[in-house]
Amino acid sequence: MHGLSVTAAAGDCVHVAGPNGSGKTTLLRVLAGLLTAEQGSVSWQGRPISADREAYGASLSYLGHMDGLKAEFTARENLAFEAGLRRRLAAGEIDQVLARVALTGSRDQPVRSLSAGQRRRLAMARVMLTGAPLWLLDEPFTNLDDAGVQCLSEEIAGHLDAGGAALIASHQSPKIPRHALRRLDLG
Amino acid sequence: MSWTWLHKLSSPPHAYRITGRLAPWLGWPALALIVTGLYGGLVLAPADYQQGDGFRILYVHAPSAWMSMFIYATMATAAAIGLIWRIKLAHGVAAASAPLGAWFTFLALATGSIWGKPMWGTWWVWDARLTSELILLFLYFGLMALRASIEDRERADRATAVLAIVGIVNLPIIHYSVYWWNTLHQGATITRLGKPSITGDMLWPLLVMLAGFTFYYFAVLMTRLRAEILRRERDASWLKTELSA
Amino acid sequence: MARTGTGAAFWLIFRRDLLLAFRHWDHVVQPVVFFAMVTTLFPLALSPELGELRQLAGGVLWVAALLAALLGLDFLFRSDHADGTLEQLLLSGQPLALMAIAKAAAHWTACGLPLVLVSPLLAIGLGVPTTALCTVMLSLALGTGILSALGAIGAGLTLGLRRGSMLLSLLVLPLAMPALIFGARAIDMSIHEDTARGPLLLLAAMLVLVVTLAPLAVAAALRISAE
């Protein structure tokens, strides 16, 4: 990839578009700081992320190809550990967020017994729970049915309303209520 | 301080040309030095009063052992530079040096074994220096094995760099432990590679051989580095113009 | 929205990894069984005479423990790498070196500590007198600790590689040789009624050094492997 430039401010939503293999995942990983570009740099709030990778990591939430969930833990345990690493969770927060992604019933089931769509929703719940201002989502709507897609789109809209920013890599065009998407074509 | 001169120097086109020009300037002196050193050591130097002519293998053994450690240190330094400042050429130096270092280590072990045979009666003994060299050889093997197992070149460079740095930090600890271990079990037979007392006319061939080996290492390093650059910059446009010119 | 402190994060990861380890009982039991089996190989291969075995006991116990611990190292990062939780750890905002220590500590508790607890039984089987059993446990406790830390470096570097387990052993074994020398020596001295304080203190010093420096290398290795 050459000559790529992308900026996002509070309330912005960028749709990274392109067919499979065009580098959407690579771009998102570079933006997350997991990958270092050979040339060029990523800056957050005016400072390059290489200066303090860990602080940058705390300001973002990344949803990659893999769900980032331990199959042996229950939905609750997964959220408690992963979000708990970032901030102290108030009582009932986990239950609240599980309700928002319609996973209350599966709260105490080990993740290995959940369907692919349920796991994706749980991964999204993790993103929501971190409270980070920047969301980097790689194909978040995979394996979701229409209700799931709607639910997630609404959550993303809520995040943008609150002043957060999101970059969504998807080969389909996502529809986020109340917000227009800027499109970055990689194909 | 601006490091742009270093970045410019280590840019592949520059490096390719410079290594090409340096190689003969290092290679011929290497040959001359080694031949002189060998003549001085094998022919001119007086026979040791204790070990007779057998000690002459010291003239290959000692410089090899020295080189094996020098190359490891060079490799670890280059790897660290490549890791911290992300200079690809430094990684190339590390990659090119590892097999050379391994060969010198093997040479040290082989000559050490040959040297010891008349004294101990066996081809191998767990002498502290030899054991230390053997562990060094294992460290080299580990580095080369790691590099070979990783397909992505950048990841391979950086992973072997971390391993090289870990190795160099461990090296003094390993040395000390092995020496201590060796002193514990003094058997009836003296199993140390007895170093003959060195006089002046025995010393100069040793230093000449050492210089010769060092020149040799750098000469071969230049050549291998060139090959590394070719490998890494296979698709670059500057290379196509360079080769067609 | 209070940020989780690094201390709290350390314990969170430690607890998490320990919980995971005990949900996979075989990961805990297998190295112990391997340890017992390898130790048994020596009397079979050499001699059933306890007197003869006693001379080699220190070395045999240490080599067997080393190999068993190496076997267990494979599990350190593999599952986290496979399901994406490792990259989440990289992005969590907590210092990676600290989390590496937490994981290695949990790994030692689940893999190394069982080896230490079983070692007296195996030591008796090799003719070690009861007076030396304390030294056996202490020596192996320090040694498996050193190995967990060194092995974490190797595990980080070989993440996701095919035949990574064999490569891991090749990388870690030379680095573990100093610990082996002093650890086996400590047991030996104790068997011969000598005080083993010297080697044990050196082992402890090595442990401190490794625990201080290794996490930096592990963090670097994890970042490199996650790319």
Side-chain angles (χ1 to χ4, degrees):
Chain A
M1 281 185 287
H2 294 275
L4 215 53
S5 171
V6 55
T7 44
D12 272 357
C13 187
V14 180
H15 170 215
V16 181
N20 289 334
S22 52
K24 304 195 293 294
T25 302
T26 313
L27 176 63
L28 243 59
R29 288 176 80 82
V30 171
L31 292 176
L34 289 171
L35 208 53
T36 314
E38 267 187 56
Q39 278 179 329
S41 63
V42 182
S43 300
W44 171 251
Q45 296 183 335
R47 266 169 298 150
I49 63 173
S50 48
D52 191 349
R53 264 186 214 280
E54 272 139 19
Y56 177 56
S59 341
L60 68 86
S61 205
Y62 173 67
L63 179 64
H65 270 295
M66 295 175 288
D67 295 324
L69 303 165
K70 298 302 305 179
E72 305 92 337
F73 284 159
T74 65
R76 246 241 238 101
E77 285 171 328
N78 262 294
L79 291 180
F81 278 121
E82 301 222 22
L85 211 53
R86 288 176 175 244
R87 63 185 187 86
R88 274 198 287 275
L89 300 168
E93 260 197 88
I94 294 181
D95 290 330
Q96 262 178 25
V97 86
L98 281 174
R100 275 154 66 186
V101 292
L103 280 176
T104 315
S106 326
R107 192 180 58 184
D108 291 311
Q109 280 186 334
V111 164
R112 89 167 74 87
S113 64
L114 299 179
S115 72
Q118 286 174 313
R119 270 183 255 156
R120 208 68 180 146
R121 295 212 301 270
L122 184 60
M124 200 57 209
R126 173 178 45 78
V127 170
M128 286 154 46
L129 207 50
T130 58
L134 177 65
W135 285 6
L136 298 169
L137 309 173
D138 197 347
E139 305 280 1
F141 303 110
T142 325
N143 294 318
L144 292 183
D145 56 11
D146 289 334
V149 170
Q150 216 180 352
C151 171
L152 245 63
S153 306
E154 186 55 56
E155 287 299 333
I156 297 174
H159 171 74
L160 296 171
D161 287 337
L167 275 97
I168 307 174
S170 177
H171 55 276
Q172 303 156 330
S173 295
K175 286 186 186 33
I176 311 296
R178 308 187 294 282
H179 293 267
L181 296 172
R182 251 191 301 140
R183 194 183 159 98
L184 176 67
D185 247 302
L186 290 183
Chain B
M1 180 173 180
S2 157
W3 288 103
T4 44
W5 64 268
L6 183 63
H7 280 270
K8 186 163 184 286
L9 188 70
S10 53
S11 74
H14 255 100
Y16 187 72
R17 270 174 243 129
I18 293 178
T19 51
R21 266 186 273 153
L22 277 178
W25 283 96
L26 295 165
W28 290 114
L31 185 62
L33 284 166
I34 291 176
V35 167
T36 317
L38 279 176
Y39 184 72
L42 297 175
V43 176
L44 289 180
D48 179 62
Y49 80 98
Q50 243 182 352
Q51 299 178 28
D53 283 311
F55 92 101
R56 292 185 195 279
I57 197 133
L58 172 74
Y59 289 106
V60 179
H61 172 78
S64 312
W66 162 257
M67 288 306 296
S68 70
M69 290 190 278
F70 172 70
I71 293 176
Y72 199 95
T74 310
M75 183 182 62
T77 314
I81 292 175
L83 198 62
I84 300 171
W85 285 285
R86 290 189 177 258
I87 297 178
K88 282 193 281 187
L89 187 73
H91 285 302
V93 169
S97 299
L100 286 173
W103 271 118
F104 273 113
T105 316
F106 180 72
L107 189 62
L109 284 171
T111 50
S113 170
I114 295 171
W115 187 8
K117 176 78 165 60
M119 283 193 289
W120 314 315
T122 55
W123 285 109
W124 181 263
V125 133
W126 292 100
D127 164 78
R129 264 207 312 279
L130 279 184
T131 311
S132 221
E133 286 288 311
L134 184 62
I135 300 181
L136 186 61
L137 188 62
F138 290 152
L139 286 175
Y140 272 116
F141 278 159
L143 276 164
M144 297 193 289
L146 185 62
R147 184 177 289 278
S149 325
I150 302 177
E151 284 171 9
D152 177 39
R153 181 163 292 127
E154 249 219 74
R155 179 180 164 183
D157 278 343
R158 309 187 67 220
T160 43
V162 172
L163 188 61
I165 296 170
V166 171
I168 197 107
V169 171
N170 254 275
L171 223 43
I173 301 176
I174 294 175
H175 263 244
Y176 170 75
S177 311
V178 169
Y179 268 81
W180 184 81
W181 160 78
N182 198 254
T183 59
L184 291 173
H185 306 273
Q186 278 302 347
T189 53
I190 294 170
T191 54
R192 292 198 63 236
L193 277 173
K195 247 209 297 250
S197 36
I198 304 265
T199 60
D201 42 350
M202 286 165 135
L203 186 63
W204 74 261
L206 200 61
L207 297 174
V208 168
M209 282 298 280
L210 192 59
F213 273 15
T214 312
F215 270 86
Y216 172 76
Y217 160 61
F218 280 112
V220 178
L221 179 64
M222 293 295 124
T223 321
R224 285 185 137 254
L225 197 54
R226 266 187 136 226
E228 274 290 330
I229 295 173
L230 280 175
R231 238 198 304 262
R232 283 154 192 256
E233 302 280 316
R234 219 191 322 233
D235 304 314
S237 49
W238 71 263
L239 190 60
K240 297 195 177 83
T241 39
E242 180 86 15
L243 290 177
S244 56
Chain C
M1 188 170 77
R3 268 276 297 270
T4 312
T6 39
F10 176 90
W11 286 114
L12 201 65
I13 297 190
F14 183 76
R15 259 182 37 229
R16 164 195 184 266
D17 270 35
L18 218 50
L19 255 167
L20 279 170
F22 286 106
R23 292 210 185 162
H24 285 280
W25 261 117
D26 49 317
H27 288 188
V28 179
V29 169
Q30 277 173 8
V32 174
V33 176
F34 186 78
F35 184 30
M37 282 199 203
V38 171
T39 313
T40 313
L41 291 177
F42 287 86
L44 290 173
L46 298 172
S47 146
E49 289 295 312
L50 282 180
E52 291 181 38
L53 290 172
R54 187 174 303 134
Q55 304 306 318
L56 304 168
V60 168
L61 281 170
W62 253 84
V63 170
L66 206 63
L67 297 176
L70 273 177
L71 214 68
L73 274 170
D74 212 27
F75 305 125
L76 187 54
F77 297 124
R78 215 212 278 149
S79 112
D80 279 0
H81 176 75
D83 59 22
T85 36
L86 190 62
E87 53 186 29
Q88 292 301 325
L89 240 54
L90 285 170
L91 296 173
S92 65
Q94 299 293 345
L96 193 55
L98 192 79
M99 297 196 295
I101 305 184
K103 285 188 77 72
H107 179 264
W108 179 80
T109 313
C111 278
L113 191 58
L115 296 179
V116 173
L117 295 174
V118 157
S119 62
L121 302 171
L122 300 175
I124 291 174
L126 291 175
V128 174
T130 31
T131 47
L133 289 182
C134 212
T135 311
V136 167
M137 290 181 70
L138 195 53
S139 161
L140 284 178
L142 294 169
T144 46
I146 294 172
L147 203 71
S148 276
L150 283 174
I153 304 178
L157 290 173
T158 55
L159 254 188
L161 298 178
R162 275 171 305 140
R163 310 289 316 276
S165 179
M166 167 59 70
L167 187 60
L168 176 69
S169 310
L170 291 183
L171 300 184
V172 175
L173 277 175
L175 303 173
M177 288 177 189
L180 170 66
I181 292 175
F182 290 114
R185 179 70 186 148
I187 298 180
D188 234 15
M189 290 173 87
S190 176
I191 290 176
H192 292 110
E193 313 262 307
D194 252 330
T195 167
R197 256 180 91 235
L200 283 176
L201 282 174
L202 271 164
L203 265 185
M206 272 193 228
L207 181 65
V208 170
L209 184 68
V210 161
V211 167
T212 316
L213 296 180
L216 303 168
V218 177
L222 287 175
R223 262 190 242 281
I224 292 169
S225 297
E227 289 199 351

